[in-house]
Amino acid sequence: MSKKMLKFVSVDKQMPEKRGADLRKEDFQEIYEEFETDKAVEQASRCSQCGIPFCQVHCPVQNNIPDWLNLTANGRLEEAYEISQATNNLPEICGRICPQDRLCEGSCVIEKGFESVTIGAVEKYITDTAWEKGWVKPNAPVRELSQSVGVIGAGPGGLAAADQLRKRGYQVHVYDRYDRVGGLLVYGIPSFKLEKDVVERRARLLADGGVTFHLNFNIGKDATFAELRDRHDAIVIATGVYKARDIALPGSGLNGIVPALDYLTASNRKGLGDEVAEFENGTLNADGKNVVVIGGGDTAMDCVRTAIRQGAKSVKCLYRRDRKNMPGSLRETTNAEEEGVEFVWLSAPKAFLGDDNVTGVKAIDMHLGIADSTGRQVPVEIEGSERDIPCDLAIKALGFDPEDIPALFDEPALQVSRWGTIDADPITKMTSMEGVFAVGDIVRGASLVVWAIRDGRDAALSVEMYLKKANQTALAS
């Protein structure tokens, strides 16, 4: 073990410098500065190199975190990058947007009393340095294979699958209905968490490595699902889930009540330089408005922090549980509070107020009752505690559901689960249709980017095994 490690007893945890709230809420740039080299080395050296690395165990892609922390602490940064990217196709993205406080850092064995290692910030530093030094290279397969794979969806799951399959020499074609590669990485996540040139840089690398992208491509219009199956030897579905969960309350039909993804997409498109009518006419623009965001997950945090940057008059987040039970990242909650967001804990909407346009939200106080079958305490209304909250723009950040899968793909044979997601084998990712695989949110429901990457990597391995078997069968016949 290196003598440079185990410094958590003498070195305090430190994140990269964070721009002040007054400055950062004026723009959409990332809020954390880059780690200086000496600080990255110092923070990496805090790792205890424990015998059972729970940080790795609780990382969905099983990153070899202690190894690349040790290498970073010892100045062997190119080797640290090689180990980091060996298990993760998008390490520079995960370093920015993963909720490390709920995953690797939250599982660090030195967390109690000494605070965890700043794993995410070091991961970002390693990969950003690798890009800067030219260590990140396009795929160069040892040999080209004639078999082709069609990947439907250019989000993180699809990109991970495409990357892995291209490394093995398969001809990979990625189809996406948007005009840019990245899916929710581009249109759903604000730039203050993930600047878009980071995603565009990765997309160019995949294209330079031989992945072919077909953008503005709609299944059923540009080609049917059956035609894509005929065109390719295997298919990977990685479309994600985009249908916003709704809330049935009096006044739900008023103008000014919008789904979170519509709001975030408009903001991101505007930031990318697109003409966005809904933004220009104020429908999806928080400027000068009293904004109420309903929900407590990471999407809600993206909405409240976006509204602040758009110049909202006030921003309130309505959540029916307390801070401790909030599903979103606590780090994001802290950032939002610093920027001026007011959290209304233990409060739920009862109705939307107004004639044609929303003017307020009638909310009711809640208390946490007994736990349900999942172990979470159930929110219970406190009778007589209703109050009105002024609101010109209400944003519903209640999660996402899949669309009607058989109708979406015009394929009745594609079986769905009881939750409406595609029914795929949890190990092989194979669906009910031969040679068709599915990964990410379209299988597991709305989840984390890093889980989609893990699914994409697993599916690529299964696709390879399937194609090899198919090739052997063809040669034997």
Side-chain angles (χ1 to χ4, degrees), residues 237 239 402 405 409 414-417 420-424 431-432 437-438 441-444:
I237 301 174
T239 54
I405 300 298
F409 293 101
L414 193 59
Q415 294 181 4
V416 299
S417 69
T421 55
I422 292 178
D423 193 8
T431 69
S432 56
F437 302 77
D441 290 2
I442 198 63
V443 176
R444 62 172 67 239

Side-chain angles (χ1 to χ4, degrees), residues 31-263:
I31 72 171
Y32 289 100
E33 304 289 353
E34 289 287 348
F35 252 149
E36 295 293 337
T37 298
D38 59 341
K39 281 296 180 184
V41 168
E42 178 186 77
Q43 290 300 303
S45 72
R46 295 183 70 246
C47 176
S48 69
Q49 298 289 290
C50 58
I52 301 176
F54 287 100
C55 57
Q56 180 173 347
V57 170
H58 290 277
C59 172
V61 292
Q62 306 288 277
N63 277 333
N64 298 310
I65 296 167
D67 291 346
W68 49 255
L69 286 173
N70 195 329
L71 289 166
T72 301
N74 282 279
R76 297 161 61 181
L77 207 58
E78 187 169 2
E79 293 169 88
Y81 163 70
E82 291 296 335
I83 290 179
S84 173
Q85 63 86 38
T87 54
N88 190 349
N89 303 83
L90 307 172
E92 70 277 21
I93 291 172
C94 288
R96 286 169 163 83
I97 66 172
C98 262
Q100 288 97 4
D101 54 337
R102 285 160 44 196
L103 296 172
C104 53
E105 292 180 18
S107 304
C108 180
V109 298
I110 68 170
E111 181 179 17
K112 302 299 181 185
F114 292 97
E115 294 196 87
S116 62
V117 179
T118 52
I119 296 168
V122 175
E123 179 180 38
K124 175 178 177 290
Y125 165 78
I126 291 170
T127 315
D128 284 355
T129 302
W131 281 98
E132 181 185 330
K133 299 289 187 182
W135 300 336
V136 187
K137 304 291 186 184
N139 285 323
V142 175
R143 61 172 180 159
E144 295 288 343
L145 302 173
S146 61
Q147 292 165 301
S148 71
V149 182
V151 179
I152 303 174
L159 294 180
D163 189 21
Q164 291 298 100
L165 289 163
R166 184 63 198 133
K167 285 175 182 175
R168 289 160 172 77
Y170 294 102
Q171 309 309 306
V172 182
H173 294 256
V174 180
Y175 303 87
D176 197 273
R177 62 181 175 180
Y178 286 118
D179 56 346
R180 295 178 177 90
V181 174
L184 286 178
L185 298 176
V186 171
Y187 295 114
I189 298 175
S191 292
F192 52 78
K193 286 173 61 177
L194 175 62
E195 292 181 0
K196 304 314 166 193
D197 59 349
V198 175
V199 184
E200 292 166 3
R201 180 178 64 184
R202 178 62 65 172
R204 286 194 301 271
L205 184 80
L206 291 175
D208 290 344
V211 174
T212 303
F213 290 100
H214 305 266
L215 303 178
N216 293 309
F217 191 98
N218 288 286
I219 305 296
K221 178 182 176 183
D222 297 293
T224 65
F225 184 67
E227 287 171 339
L228 286 184
R229 286 193 74 198
D230 290 340
R231 191 179 299 178
H232 299 289
D233 297 288
I235 294 288
V236 177
I237 301 174
T239 54
V241 291
Y242 291 90
K243 182 181 176 183
R245 288 180 188 155
D246 213 341
I247 183 169
L249 294 175
S252 292
L254 293 171
N255 295 321
I257 304 171
V258 301
L261 188 56
D262 290 359
Y263 173 69

Side-chain angles (χ1 to χ4, degrees), residues 1 8 12 60 132 164 206 304 311 353 420 435:
M1 183 184 296
F8 66 90
D12 291 336
E132 181 185 330
Q164 291 298 100
L206 291 175
V304 294
L353 309 174

Side-chain angles (χ1 to χ4, degrees), residues 289-295 300 304 307-308 312-319 340-344 387-390 393 395:
K289 296 178 180 178
N290 293 308
V291 178
V292 173
V293 176
I294 302 167
V304 294
I308 287 287
K313 184 178 179 181
S314 69
V315 181
K316 291 181 172 64
C317 182
L318 215 60
Y319 183 55
V341 175
E342 179 184 345
F343 285 87
V344 188
R387 66 200 183 284
D388 297 344
I389 300 175
L393 177 63
I395 302 172

